[in-house]
């Protein structure tokens, strides 16, 4: 690994001979890669990952189309674009261009195309989970109650069945909980359960559980000092866009919460590429957007750079867009009035270049060409340039399934996450409580039956004891019968009802409530 202070992105200026570089010192000031479909965003993402890895910086990116898997294999001179690559490298002055492979670790939420990646329900938290489930304000309130109850009752929430069983418990104890937390609607609990069922059908059951992802496993540096490139297989995951966006946001939040403050390092500690960023912000509540803005604002001092990849800069809220100092803008197509407005807005965010009109340049750049602007010394935005993006050193396009399996088998975390764990948590604990309550109810029922049998035996013994019973007046008999109807008759009726199914349910209900109240 050669020591360097910058990343060569491409050539700009007259004849494309002026190097356009991303300074590593400012790579944690975040960035934007934008452009219409088919304009070269994926290749730009690929060459940035290569260069950061060579500089010893681990990165994370999601692979929506499968093309980024080529980072694990070196390009070859037999590729159909070899001649074009060599010609472009010579044109932009990229004399160090050569083919090479990079240290790649594949991850997959479903465990099919990479190492399984999981987190627990507790780590996800009520805010992100509410966003994932698209809950109303009232439903989100109940979810917050569930997390609070789990903490107070010592009930670990690890997987979906833990949360589902806890919601059942909350529904059964809604009245007692309402005194402390407020009204708990059974309809809202049912609505959350239905959303969890939909999420489970989308495959989220594979995501929630243990062993949970240890973020340190994404920070590996190989023997040559090159940073690990973590690639999340997202082709299948994209069929559940909310789950995809929430997972990436969870990762970003975890980085923010676990990494220490390091100020302004000479190079980033980690770079996070957020592909299809519009999925994060589409319909997002203000609380979530504020959370993302806070993370983007503060995570820089922890040495993490965040790069949003999307089609239009307008997909990113202005408050967040203003924090993205490094820009690579591929071509935008302006067919409609809204497209034209978005184009003007994108052009207005750049520092003008007197040699060309930025708006025209964004419309005119071809595939593999972009309008770029990178931060200069002291963090000043660089002048916008039309830039030819350098060719990739790794394979352009996806690798074979056999090659992927070989990479997975030899990765630093091989075997660590493949086997799922199911330790005792809320589901098992609540089941044990229910079983204990049922057992206590059965014992209480047995004691009542025994008492009733003894009472019958005692009464039978009195009947045949031979003791002469004095004759009583009719008035006395009437009074005694009335006493029986108020006291003993009620007790006998109650004991008879306990012998029925209804009585059994009544005892179990009473004992269950007492048990749960403890």
């Amino acid at each position: 690994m050669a020591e360097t202070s910058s990343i060569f992105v491409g050539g700009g200026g007259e004849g494309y001979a002026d190097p356009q570089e991303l300074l590593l010192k400012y790579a944690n000031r975040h960035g934007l890669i934008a452009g219409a479909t088919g304009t070269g965003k994926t290749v730009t993402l690929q060459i940035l990952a290569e260069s950061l890895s060579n500089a010893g910086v681990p990165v994370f990116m999601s692979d929506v189309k499968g093309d980024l898997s080529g980072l694990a294999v070196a390009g070859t001179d037999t590729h159909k674009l070899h001649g074009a690559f060599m010609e472009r490298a010579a044109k932009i002055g990229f004399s160090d261009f050569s083919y090479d492979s990079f240290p790649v670790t594949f991850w997959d939420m479903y465990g099919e195309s990479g190492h399984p990646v999981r987190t627990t329900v507790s780590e996800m938290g009520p805010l992100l989970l509410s966003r994932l489930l698209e809950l109303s304000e009232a439903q989100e309130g109940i979810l917050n109650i569930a997390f609070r109850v789990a903490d107070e009752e010592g009930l670990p929430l690890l997987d979906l069945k833990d949360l589902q069983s806890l919601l059942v418990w909350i529904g059964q104890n809604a009245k007692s909980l309402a005194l402390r937390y407020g009204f708990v609607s059974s309809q809202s609990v049912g609505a959350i359960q239905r959303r969890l069922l939909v999420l489970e059908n989308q495959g989220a059951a594979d995501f929630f559980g243990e062993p949970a992802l240890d973020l340190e496993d994404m920070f590996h540096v190989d023997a040559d000092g090159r940073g690990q490139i973590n690639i999340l297989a997202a082709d299948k995951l994209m069929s559940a866009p909310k789950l995809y966006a929430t997972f990436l946001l969870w990762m970003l939040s975890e980085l923010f919460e676990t990494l220490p403050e390091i100020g302004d390092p000479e190079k980033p500690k980690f770079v996070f590429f957020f592909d299809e960023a519009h999925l994060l912000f589409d319909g997002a509540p203000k609380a979530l957007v504020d959370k993302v803005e806070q993370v983007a604002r503060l995570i820089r001092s922890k040495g993490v750079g965040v790069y949003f990849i999307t089609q239009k800069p307008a997909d990113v809220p202005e408050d967040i867009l203003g924090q993205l100092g490094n820009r690579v803008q591929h071509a935008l197509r302006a067919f409609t009035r809204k497209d034209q407005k978005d184009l003007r807005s994108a052009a207005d965010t750049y520092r003008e270049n007197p040699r060309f009109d930025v708006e025209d340049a964004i419309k005119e750049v071809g595939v593999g060409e972009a309008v770029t602007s990178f931060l200069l010394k002291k963090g000043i935005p660089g002048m916008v340039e039309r830039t030819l993006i350098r060719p990739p050193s790794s394979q352009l396009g996806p690798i074979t399934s056999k090659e992927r399996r070989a990479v997975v088998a030899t990765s630093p975390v091989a075997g660590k996450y493949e086997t799922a764990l199911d330790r005792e948590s809320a589901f098992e604990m609540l089941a044990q409580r229910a079983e204990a309550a049922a057992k206590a109810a059965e014992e209480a029922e047995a004691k009542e039956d025994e008492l009733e049998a003894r009472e019958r035996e005692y009464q039978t013994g009195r009947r045949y004891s031979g003791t002469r019973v004095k004759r009583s007046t009719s008035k006395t008999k009437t009074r005694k019968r009335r006493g029986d109807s108020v006291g003993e008759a009620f007790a006998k009726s109650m004991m008879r009802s306990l012998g029925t199914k209804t009585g059994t349910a009544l005892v179990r209900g009473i004992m269950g409530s007492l048990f749960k109240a403890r």
Side-chain angles (χ1 to χ4, degrees):
M1 182 188 72
E3 287 294 330
T4 180
S5 61
S6 63
I7 290 173
F8 180 79
V9 177
E14 295 290 343
Y16 301 107
D18 185 14
Q20 300 301 302
E21 297 176 325
L22 169 61
L23 298 179
L24 282 173
K25 184 176 178 61
Y26 300 111
N28 65 332
R29 301 290 180 94
H30 311 320
L32 175 73
I33 302 172
T37 301
T39 55
K41 296 193 302 294
T42 301
V43 175
T44 297
L45 189 57
Q46 185 171 342
I47 64 106
L48 287 178
E50 290 178 356
S51 300
L52 288 165
S53 176
N54 276 333
V57 179
V59 303
F60 172 88
M61 56 180 60
S62 51
D63 191 4
V64 176
K65 297 178 290 185
D67 293 342
L68 291 173
S69 62
L71 281 159
V73 177
T76 64
D77 54 11
T78 59
H79 193 276
K80 62 181 181 180
L81 293 177
H82 170 69
F85 285 171
M86 299 306 293
E87 181 181 345
R88 174 167 292 199
K91 186 173 185 177
I92 62 178
F94 188 28
S95 57
D96 294 335
F97 176 65
S98 62
Y99 293 120
D100 197 3
S101 61
F102 296 85
V104 169
T105 299
F106 291 111
W107 302 90
D108 184 5
M109 186 178 296
Y110 303 103
E112 298 172 356
S113 301
H115 303 292
V117 54
R118 304 182 188 89
T119 187
T120 64
V121 171
S122 294
E123 288 178 341
M124 177 67 76
L127 176 62
L128 291 183
L129 200 55
S130 296
R131 158 66 171 164
L132 179 58
L133 298 174
E134 297 182 292
L135 301 183
S136 66
E137 186 176 348
Q139 293 162 357
E140 184 178 351
I142 292 176
L143 196 62
N144 276 279
I145 291 174
F147 275 79
R148 174 63 67 86
V149 168
D151 290 339
E152 293 178 352
E153 295 286 328
L155 300 170
L157 297 177
L158 304 181
D159 50 30
L160 285 184
K161 68 178 185 294
D162 289 329
L163 182 57
Q164 290 166 335
S165 60
L166 179 59
L167 287 169
V168 170
W169 187 90
I170 287 174
Q172 293 171 340
N173 295 270
K175 289 185 178 180
S176 59
L177 291 173
L179 297 175
R180 182 170 184 179
Y181 300 109
F183 177 66
V184 176
S185 166
S186 59
Q187 289 84 356
S188 293
V189 172
I192 298 173
Q193 293 281 41
R194 289 192 294 273
R195 295 294 178 88
L196 287 173
L197 181 61
V198 172
L199 192 63
E200 189 175 8
N201 291 337
Q202 292 176 345
D206 298 320
F207 174 53
F208 291 104
E210 291 185 317
L213 175 66
D214 182 357
L215 290 180
E216 286 296 323
D217 286 333
M218 292 196 170
F219 285 76
H220 287 292
V221 176
D222 71 4
D224 296 327
R226 297 185 302 173
Q228 175 176 296
I229 299 176
N230 300 279
I231 300 178
L232 174 71
D235 47 349
K236 182 178 178 181
L237 184 57
M238 287 303 295
S239 61
K242 286 283 189 271
L243 180 59
Y244 167 79
T246 306
F247 166 69
L248 293 189
L249 184 55
W250 166 79
M251 267 203 65
L252 196 57
S253 300
E254 286 295 297
L255 288 169
F256 174 70
E257 292 171 6
T258 57
L259 293 179
E261 296 277 344
I262 60 175
D264 282 321
E266 290 302 312
K267 64 181 180 181
K269 185 175 182 179
F270 194 79
V271 171
F272 185 97
F273 291 98
F274 203 127
D275 202 359
E276 301 293 341
H278 67 280
L279 296 176
L280 172 61
F281 301 109
D282 283 349
K286 187 177 185 303
L288 184 63
V289 175
D290 290 344
K291 173 75 172 176
V292 177
E293 181 187 356
Q294 180 194 29
V295 170
R297 191 183 302 277
L298 300 177
I299 204 171
R300 174 183 64 81
S301 61
K302 301 193 175 191
V304 177
V306 182
Y307 288 71
F308 293 96
I309 299 95
T310 188
Q311 293 200 6
K312 299 176 293 186
D315 293 334
V316 181
E318 286 189 8
D319 290 340
I320 298 173
L321 189 63
Q323 300 179 48
L324 311 182
N326 300 296
R327 308 280 186 92
V328 179
Q329 176 67 66
H330 289 273
L332 281 179
R333 311 305 179 200
F335 298 113
T336 67
R337 189 177 297 276
K338 186 179 184 305
D339 292 339
Q340 293 170 359
K341 181 180 178 181
D342 291 340
L343 178 60
R344 286 193 295 271
S345 297
D348 289 341
T349 61
Y350 289 96
R351 179 182 164 191
E352 292 185 0
N353 189 322
R355 290 192 298 104
F356 59 88
D357 182 83
V358 180
E359 188 174 335
D360 290 339
I362 294 175
K363 289 190 294 184
E364 295 169 358
V365 290
V367 176
E369 187 180 7
V371 171
T372 64
S373 174
F374 301 107
L375 296 178
L376 304 177
K377 291 182 179 180
K378 298 184 179 180
I380 300 172
M383 187 179 296
V384 64
E385 283 288 357
R386 290 185 64 156
T387 303
L388 276 180
I389 305 299
R390 78 162 179 86
S393 298
S394 54
Q395 177 177 302
L396 187 65
I399 59 177
T400 64
S401 299
K402 182 179 179 180
E403 290 172 324
R404 182 187 283 267
R405 287 194 297 270
V407 173
V408 171
T410 57
S411 82
V413 295
K416 181 175 180 178
Y417 296 99
E418 273 64 24
T419 303
L421 302 178
D422 189 15
R423 63 184 174 94
E424 187 178 68
S425 52
F427 175 78
E428 289 79 13
M429 291 178 177
L430 291 172
Q432 290 170 8
R433 290 188 183 187
E435 184 179 352
K439 184 177 180 181
E442 289 176 358
E443 291 175 355
E445 183 179 353
K447 288 180 180 178
E448 292 290 344
D449 289 342
E450 185 179 353
L451 288 174
E452 185 178 2
R454 288 179 180 177
E455 176 69 16
R456 285 197 303 268
E457 183 178 353
Y458 175 71
Q459 294 295 340
T460 302
R462 285 188 61 192
R463 186 179 304 167
Y464 298 104
S465 63
T467 304
R468 185 180 294 276
V469 180
K470 294 182 179 181
R471 178 176 292 181
S472 59
T473 63
S474 59
K475 186 174 182 180
T476 304
K477 288 180 181 179
T478 303
R479 186 181 299 115
K480 188 171 183 179
R481 286 193 190 98
R482 285 176 180 172
D484 288 346
S485 65
V486 174
E488 293 180 4
F490 174 77
K492 291 177 182 178
S493 175
M494 184 67 176
M495 284 187 287
R496 282 196 301 272
S497 69
L498 289 172
T500 65
K501 291 183 179 180
T502 304
T504 303
L506 177 63
V507 171
R508 287 178 178 169
I510 294 171
M511 297 305 294
S513 298
L514 292 174
F515 185 86
K516 292 168 186 172
R518 295 186 193 128

